[in-house]
Amino acid sequence: MRYIEITIPSGKRRAVLDILDDEGIEYVVSDEIGHQQTDAVVRFPLPTRAVEGVLDRLAEAELSTARVVVIDAETVISEEFDELRKLHMRGTTTGERTSRQVLVTKADELTPAFSIYVVMLLISAVVATSGLLSDSPAVVVGSMVIAPLLGPALAASVGIVTGDGELRTRGFRYQVVGVAVVVAASIGLATLARLAGLEPGGVDIVVVAELEERVSPNLFSLAVALGAGVAGILSLTRGFSEAIVGVMIAAALIPPAAAVGITTAWGMYGAALGAFGLVAINVLSINAAALVTLWLAGYRPQGLFEVSPTRRQTATYAAVFAVGLLALSTPLVGITLLEFQTTQLKSTAEGEVETVLEEPDYDGVEAESVEVILDDDYPLRSIDRVVVTVRTDGVETDPELGTRLSDAVSAEVDDPPIVEVRYVLADQHGSDEQPALEPTERQVVHTVGDQSDDEGERLEERRSRV
């Protein structure tokens, strides 16, 4: 429920009261004298659903100098108000729909002052970068909580569908500056971490689980941003928890932007390109989902001369968002197909390895793991090799086993990969005078398959890292 107070300019009292009488609204009018030429002030309660329509009708009375105040009302005890509320609930779904005028105000209020916005994003970038470098999901989530992205992410779309150019421009400006601030801060912090020798585990930075999933995104990444855009608009229009939705929007933007900074600081520009592509896709997805949701919900100017231009403007932005999403999402299709292919190849290889090792000749050998290794050409990677690790109680390897496994795996796929067989050997040492020591393990690697000299050198480099 809302409580409305309107200052009526001189000469407009009768026109305003006729509209209120026609709507069946119970109101109170009082004469007012102020520094402006006002005739009276009218006050009345309204169901939330009725606010937008009534204010639109009053706008037709050309109340250009009127002041309208909309206040939340806890309870209204009145038979006439109950009848009015029932009238506006007929033929509609349950739930309260925020008026267009209040929606614009809420979107504006959720956008903080620019200085506060930048400071909060700097803090969020530091926390997100630290969380990604330390592979800590809890810290990454913390960075999302403090990021003030809900207002800017929704203000642009609200400004588009309501014809508020200032709100639209501010929303887009805040989003661009916000991403730039997070990326720049992450580059700075990650550079300091690298110079300080804080590379996690002494391995490539992208093997960190919290980072790897954001430098080579798939199509499912779109679902997060699209859901965030729809949920954000619903939080504004239906009164759901805005704080929780803000975290969801930050989840789509802050970690990928921090990933751009980290991979750039490490000189992995392919991975940085993949993470930046995810940021761009998420920004477009949030704005597109919010724009479509608002338009379908009926939030648009209702005046005779406003509907058509705003419809054209909304259609233009929707087309730009759609083309941008289509162009940026095309590489994600290849990444998604690669993931499916990798999963299928791993399942096939596991089955073939089990079949081979069930033969009597390999009674002392058991499969330990099967992995499909991708190359380091981010963001569009490809299958590099299949690594089969087997455990044996003996001290010798069987080169023929590698060939058998390679042939079995290659026979089931169109593009045979390199198969690398790793033996985990249990060595036992002892003599007549000295009992055997505890078994020790060592690893021997046999690689089967065609590979170039460059690939062979890359293999040796990886083994030295292992």
Side-chain angles (χ1 to χ4, degrees), residues 98-108 158 161-162 167 233 236-237 294 299:
T98 302
S99 67
R100 188 179 73 257
Q101 295 83 358
V102 174
L103 180 67
V104 172
T105 301
K106 292 178 68 175
D108 183 65
V158 172
V161 298
T162 60
L167 186 62
I233 291 303
L236 288 183
T237 61
L294 281 169
Y299 288 98

Side-chain angles (χ1 to χ4, degrees), residues 189-419:
L189 183 59
T191 301
L192 293 176
R194 187 181 184 188
L195 294 176
L198 299 181
E199 184 176 348
V203 297
D204 289 343
I205 190 67
V206 292
V207 303
V208 177
E210 283 293 314
L211 190 61
E212 187 173 17
E213 64 188 37
R214 293 179 172 93
V215 299
S216 187
N218 56 33
L219 279 175
F220 298 110
S221 303
L222 284 172
V224 177
L226 290 173
V230 174
I233 291 303
L234 291 179
S235 71
L236 288 183
T237 61
R238 301 293 177 176
F240 298 150
S241 175
E242 295 162 356
I244 295 176
V245 177
V247 173
M248 186 176 181
I249 290 178
L253 298 178
I254 295 298
V260 175
I262 293 172
T263 49
T264 300
W266 254 262
M268 302 186 66
Y269 301 114
L273 179 62
F276 183 78
L278 178 59
V279 174
I281 288 173
N282 286 348
V283 170
L284 288 174
S285 298
I286 291 171
N287 283 275
L291 184 62
V292 172
T293 304
L294 281 169
W295 186 262
L296 293 178
Y299 288 98
R300 63 199 73 159
Q302 300 298 316
L304 178 62
F305 301 104
E306 293 179 302
V307 173
S308 180
T310 304
R311 182 179 290 115
R312 289 197 298 270
Q313 175 179 271
T314 303
T316 300
Y317 276 99
V320 171
F321 292 153
V323 172
L325 280 175
L326 182 62
L328 292 174
S329 299
T330 301
L332 271 60
V333 176
I335 296 174
T336 305
L337 293 176
L338 174 64
E339 291 184 356
F340 289 151
Q341 182 183 0
T342 300
T343 302
Q344 183 178 9
L345 177 58
K346 181 178 180 180
S347 178
T348 300
E350 287 175 344
E352 294 302 320
V353 169
E354 290 294 336
T355 300
V356 172
L357 295 183
E358 286 177 357
E359 298 179 6
D361 294 341
Y362 303 110
D363 287 340
V365 182
E366 63 179 27
E368 188 167 278
S369 66
V370 176
E371 297 178 274
V372 178
I373 306 298
L374 304 181
D375 60 28
D376 296 332
D377 296 330
Y378 292 94
L380 301 177
R381 309 169 73 187
S382 58
I383 295 175
D384 191 31
R385 62 184 36 78
V386 177
V387 177
V388 179
T389 302
V390 297
R391 181 179 294 273
T392 176
D393 295 335
V395 296
E396 298 294 337
T397 64
D398 183 0
E400 292 298 325
L401 176 59
T403 303
R404 290 287 308 278
L405 294 177
S406 176
D407 293 342
V409 173
S410 300
E412 299 295 327
V413 295
D414 296 332
D415 187 13
I418 296 173
V419 178

Side-chain angles (χ1 to χ4, degrees), residues 160-176:
I160 291 172
V161 298
T162 60
D164 191 327
E166 182 181 353
L167 186 62
R168 179 190 68 240
T169 302
R170 190 190 323 139
F172 282 132
R173 184 175 71 249
Y174 268 57
Q175 290 181 69
V176 173

